[in-house]
């Protein structure tokens, strides 16, 4: 068994009830595929099973689709990535936002962004009939508008005494990006925000408060191995063991919750373990993490919106 091979598929289902009239549709959310030579072919099998079971009307891919932009140049990884993208786009309208692993390198992240990764992603998405969302909206089904924001180097690249380096998140940089965008929300429709890393400071949440749904990936579920996550769920605990930044007990790691009076936050745990960013003892547990997708069903309710 390979280190990052998931051993089971988990489909997490959620329902959001709206007081306003909305289409009764199902949205499947997945991401963090981290396609590379060490990721098993079983990931494609699980993904196919997920779309067959969920029967989604729309699919969101939330970034870190490859483990590094170098995989876009590797024939075997590129074939695996495109095969999995087509599994999704053949089933339903599919959109993609990129994560840091998709376009950054540790040695020259900004140049990788400018010169090679993004043009390749545009070609790949066009060929696979996937909508690449940079900083734009997409309405594949009337009544639900998805706003995708590509988190650029302000969110993912920091400075230290040695110069620029890649790191796991900068909420101030994310807020700076958000302040540059005019989302033009429509109160009569479902407004759904999509990005990769949940860099959720109080200021960011306030800025996004006009949205009905916010969805992110990146967390790998707080690196909770299969079996233990079921125990946590039974006890009503929604805290992970450790974040990709090696921070203990992250609370925003998986599931759905209300943030503010009218906004729901969804965190998808992703399809793989947390790679090598976790401490070594936890890396050995990655293979028992489930390959997870989230399925959100939109429904009409006569009273105030609720979620379960």
């Amino acid at each position: 068994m390979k280190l990052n091979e998931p051993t089971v598929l988990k489909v997490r289902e959620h329902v959001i009830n709206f007081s306003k009239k909305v289409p009764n549709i199902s949205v499947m959310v997945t991401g963090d595929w981290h396609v590379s030579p060490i990721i098993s072919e079983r990931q494609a099998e699980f993904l196919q099973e997920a779309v067959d079971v969920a029967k989604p009307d729309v699919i969101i891919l939330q970034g870190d689709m490859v483990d590094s932009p170098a995989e876009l140049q590797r024939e075997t990884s590129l074939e695996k990535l495109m095969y999995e993208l087509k599994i999704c786009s053949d089933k339903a309208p599919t959109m993609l936002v990129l994560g840091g692993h998709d376009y950054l390198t540790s040695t020259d992240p900004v140049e990788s962004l400018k010169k090679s990764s993004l043009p390749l992603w545009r070609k790949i998405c066009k060929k696979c009939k996937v909508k690449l969302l940079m900083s734009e909206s997409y309405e594949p089904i009337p009544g639900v508008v998805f706003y995708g924001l590509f988190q650029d180097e302000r969110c993912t690249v920091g400075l230290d005494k040695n110069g620029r380096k890649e790191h796991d998140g900068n909420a101030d940089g994310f807020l700076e990006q958000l302040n540059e965008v005019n989302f033009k929300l429509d109160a009569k429709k479902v407004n759904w925000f999509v990005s990769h890393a949940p860099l959720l400071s109080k200021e960011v949440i306030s800025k996004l408060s006009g949205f009905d749904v916010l969805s992110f990936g990146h967390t790998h579920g707080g690196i909770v191995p299969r079996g233990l996550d079921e125990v946590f769920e039974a006890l009503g605990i929604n805290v992970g063991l450790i974040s990709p930044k090696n921070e203990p007990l992250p609370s925003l790691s998986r599931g759905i919750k209300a943030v503010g009076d009218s906004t729901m936050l969804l965190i998808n745990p992703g399809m793989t373990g947390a790679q090598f960013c976790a401490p070594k003892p936890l890396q050995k547990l990655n293979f028992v993490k489930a390959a997870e997708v989230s399925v959100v069903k939109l429904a009409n309710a006569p009273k105030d919106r609720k979620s379960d």
Side-chain angles (χ1 to χ4, degrees):
M1 180 179 293
K2 295 185 179 182
L3 177 64
N4 289 284
E5 179 178 341
T7 58
V8 68
L9 169 69
K10 177 176 288 186
V11 178
R12 292 182 183 267
E13 294 188 350
H14 309 281
V15 178
I16 301 179
N17 296 313
F18 292 83
S19 56
K20 59 186 173 183
K21 186 176 181 180
V22 299
N24 295 313
I25 66 169
S26 176
V27 180
M28 191 179 96
V29 183
T30 179
D32 291 284
W33 295 355
H34 286 275
V35 169
S36 72
I38 66 171
I39 297 298
S40 170
E41 297 294 340
R42 290 193 70 190
Q43 180 169 275
E45 297 175 12
F46 286 135
L47 188 61
Q48 183 67 64
E49 181 181 347
V51 298
D52 290 342
V53 169
K55 297 180 174 58
D57 298 290
V58 180
I59 298 175
I60 303 173
L61 309 177
Q62 294 191 152
D64 280 0
M65 313 311 294
V66 293
D67 207 41
S68 85
E71 302 304 329
L72 303 177
Q73 309 279 359
R74 192 192 307 269
E75 184 177 355
T76 53
S77 293
L78 182 59
E79 289 179 354
K80 187 185 298 184
L81 170 67
M82 294 181 68
Y83 179 71
E84 293 186 23
L85 290 175
K86 289 177 181 177
I87 287 175
C88 295
S89 63
D90 285 348
K91 186 69 175 182
T94 300
M95 70 199 79
L96 166 66
V97 292
L98 298 175
H101 281 261
D102 297 321
Y103 73 94
L104 294 175
T105 67
S106 59
T107 57
D108 198 0
V110 178
E111 288 308 304
S112 177
L113 161 66
K114 291 179 179 177
K115 290 183 178 179
S116 61
S117 305
L118 295 187
L120 281 173
W121 275 110
R122 290 188 179 97
K123 291 179 181 178
I124 290 167
C125 287
K126 183 177 181 179
K127 190 168 184 179
C128 295
K129 298 181 179 180
V130 170
K131 176 70 172 178
L132 179 62
L133 294 179
M134 300 300 289
S135 297
E136 58 198 287
S137 63
Y138 177 47
E139 190 174 357
I141 293 177
V144 184
V145 184
F146 297 90
Y147 298 80
L149 185 64
F150 164 67
Q151 294 174 327
D152 66 19
E153 64 269 23
R154 287 173 288 180
C155 300
T156 51
V157 179
L159 293 171
D160 65 6
K161 62 182 179 181
N162 298 316
R164 271 190 159 158
K165 67 174 184 178
E166 181 180 353
H167 70 87
D168 278 304
N170 181 345
D172 290 337
F174 191 33
L175 181 62
E176 183 180 336
Q177 277 197 269
L178 291 171
N179 285 330
E180 296 173 355
V181 180
N182 182 5
F183 293 110
K184 298 181 180 179
L185 306 184
D186 188 336
K188 295 181 179 180
K189 299 179 179 180
V190 174
N191 299 285
W192 187 312
F193 180 84
V194 184
S195 201
H196 176 63
L199 309 176
L200 299 177
S201 64
K202 291 182 180 179
E203 294 79 9
V204 167
I205 291 176
S206 177
K207 181 68 178 180
L208 295 173
S209 62
F211 285 92
D212 297 292
V213 185
L214 313 175
S215 62
F216 299 89
H218 180 66
T219 67
H220 296 272
I223 314 177
V224 179
R226 181 169 61 90
L228 186 57
D229 62 345
E230 283 88 349
V231 174
F232 279 8
E233 288 175 10
L235 295 175
I237 299 173
N238 196 32
V239 175
L241 295 180
I242 193 164
S243 78
K245 292 178 66 176
N246 288 329
E247 294 174 346
L249 304 178
S251 60
L252 295 174
S253 57
R254 66 193 184 281
I256 194 167
K257 62 182 288 186
V259 286
D261 295 332
S262 59
T263 304
M264 301 303 299
L265 169 66
L266 171 71
I267 305 292
N268 174 252
M271 294 287 285
T272 70
Q275 304 293 89
F276 302 106
C277 53
K280 286 186 178 180
L282 286 178
Q283 289 177 21
K284 295 179 180 179
L285 298 176
N286 282 345
F287 72 90
V288 295
K289 177 192 180 299
E292 296 193 36
V293 303
S294 303
V295 177
V296 179
K297 297 181 179 180
L298 309 187
N300 292 282
K303 298 181 180 181
D304 292 340
R305 182 178 60 186
K306 298 180 181 179
S307 171
D308 61 21

